[in-house]
Amino acid sequence: MVGVQSKPKKVTAARFSRAEIRHLEMLLQEGKDLFDPNFHQKLANEFNRPPGRAENKAIQVQQVQRWFLNRLKLHKVEAVTSPTSSKEMSSDENGEKISEVEMEFEARSCRDHAWYDVSTFLAHKVLSSGEVEVRVRFVGFGPDEDEWVNVRKAVRERSVPMESSECWKLKEGDLLLCFREKDEAANYFDAHVAGIERKMHDIRGCRCIFLMRYDHDQNEERVHLSRLCRRP
């Protein structure tokens, strides 16, 4: 993880597509079978059905379960609190702030500049400058990898994978999140589109090539759309 190249690489969990999120929201509104493990497994199988996801980007049944639990937590909190923010927090016995709602967020590690999915917001503090920092736990990592990150600069709503039908929207200069594999690490980094080679789409979807320039080290790489995410 985060800044340690000697450890076996851990790939961030697969992300729901826009279409999948819309489907989950519809099911949530219907309120049927939300706590049935068989229902969660059926949904995961549906999302992973060919010609959808590659094996290493498959949606896990635990992700489906967590999505429904998080949304239901949010609705419960909203019902008894004023509508202030989806990141509403309550004090623990030490005066720190503990997250009551686990939404879909990502945070940038100060150790390697990569963005990781947030599992939990553990606490927050206000610096003398007035800036707010939160302590986050990243999905797939333990307490030893928790970090304090700046809310304004390094926390945002989770990016979602690009879909083939959105290819035409991209242009040079756009800021995206790009999946990068290098030196036994596999992470998501901010990157700008430096060039686009348009190609005809086929049954597999978008075949265009995007030249991406990573913000943290200015290295460039040619990638397909499947490795790109954008802000919701």
Side-chain angles (χ1 to χ4, degrees):
M1 134 81 178
V2 188
V4 181
Q5 299 297 333
S6 59
K7 290 185 178 181
K9 70 181 180 183
K10 286 191 177 182
V11 179
T12 304
R15 295 162 182 241
F16 293 110
S17 68
R18 284 181 173 82
E20 290 165 348
I21 291 174
R22 287 194 295 269
H23 186 51
L24 290 167
E25 292 284 5
M26 180 187 69
L27 294 171
L28 181 63
Q29 292 178 9
E30 294 177 354
K32 298 179 180 178
D33 304 319
L34 298 184
F35 298 101
D36 183 354
N38 293 326
F39 173 67
H40 299 152
Q41 184 64 65
K42 180 180 177 181
L43 272 176
N45 293 342
E46 178 183 333
F47 291 153
N48 295 325
R49 187 176 301 142
R53 298 171 174 272
E55 182 178 352
N56 64 347
K57 292 188 177 181
I59 292 293
Q60 304 298 315
V61 64
Q62 293 88 347
Q63 289 178 261
V64 176
Q65 293 169 338
R66 187 169 62 245
W67 190 93
F68 282 117
L69 286 173
N70 289 344
R71 287 304 189 274
L72 290 169
K73 283 182 184 179
L74 174 61
H75 291 174
K76 182 177 180 180
V77 171
E78 286 179 338
V80 296
T81 61
S82 59
T84 52
S85 167
S86 61
K87 289 178 283 186
E88 189 75 27
M89 295 182 176
S90 65
S91 297
D92 70 358
E93 61 185 6
N94 296 318
E96 290 189 306
K97 298 292 184 176
I98 304 300
S99 173
E100 289 183 347
V101 182
E102 297 177 17
M103 288 292 290
E104 301 290 317
F105 291 98
E106 59 193 16
R108 186 177 59 212
S109 169
C110 60
R111 302 177 185 177
D112 63 0
H113 307 288
W115 289 87
Y116 294 88
D117 293 344
V118 172
S119 172
T120 308
F121 293 102
L122 298 166
H124 93 279
K125 61 184 178 182
V126 180
L127 306 181
S128 58
S129 62
E131 292 282 317
V132 178
E133 290 187 351
V134 288
R135 192 168 84 244
V136 299
R137 180 158 302 160
F138 298 110
V139 170
F141 299 99
D144 290 345
E145 305 289 356
D146 293 348
E147 285 189 45
W148 286 97
V149 298
N150 184 284
V151 170
R152 182 173 59 86
K153 299 176 181 177
V155 177
R156 64 193 185 193
E157 188 176 353
R158 188 175 298 177
S159 303
V160 293
M162 293 289 302
E163 299 178 0
S164 292
S165 60
E166 301 174 308
C167 165
W168 63 273
K169 298 179 182 179
L170 294 183
K171 60 184 182 299
E172 291 188 23
D174 282 352
L175 174 62
L176 301 171
L177 194 64
C178 185
F179 185 69
R180 182 186 192 185
E181 293 188 87
K182 182 182 179 183
D183 300 331
E184 299 303 317
N187 301 313
Y188 287 94
F189 293 96
D190 280 336
H192 282 80
V193 180
I196 303 175
E197 183 181 345
R198 299 288 182 185
K199 294 181 178 291
M200 291 291 293
H201 291 198
D202 58 24
I203 192 172
R204 296 169 294 178
C206 176
R207 307 310 300 163
C208 301
I209 304 295
F210 300 89
L211 179 63
M212 303 302 299
R213 182 178 297 120
Y214 294 103
D215 287 6
H216 67 290
D217 61 9
Q218 297 302 300
N219 285 333
E220 295 184 349
E221 184 178 12
R222 293 160 60 86
V223 305
H224 287 103
L225 192 74
S226 61
R227 287 174 55 183
L228 301 177
C229 299
R230 70 181 304 163
R231 301 297 305 282

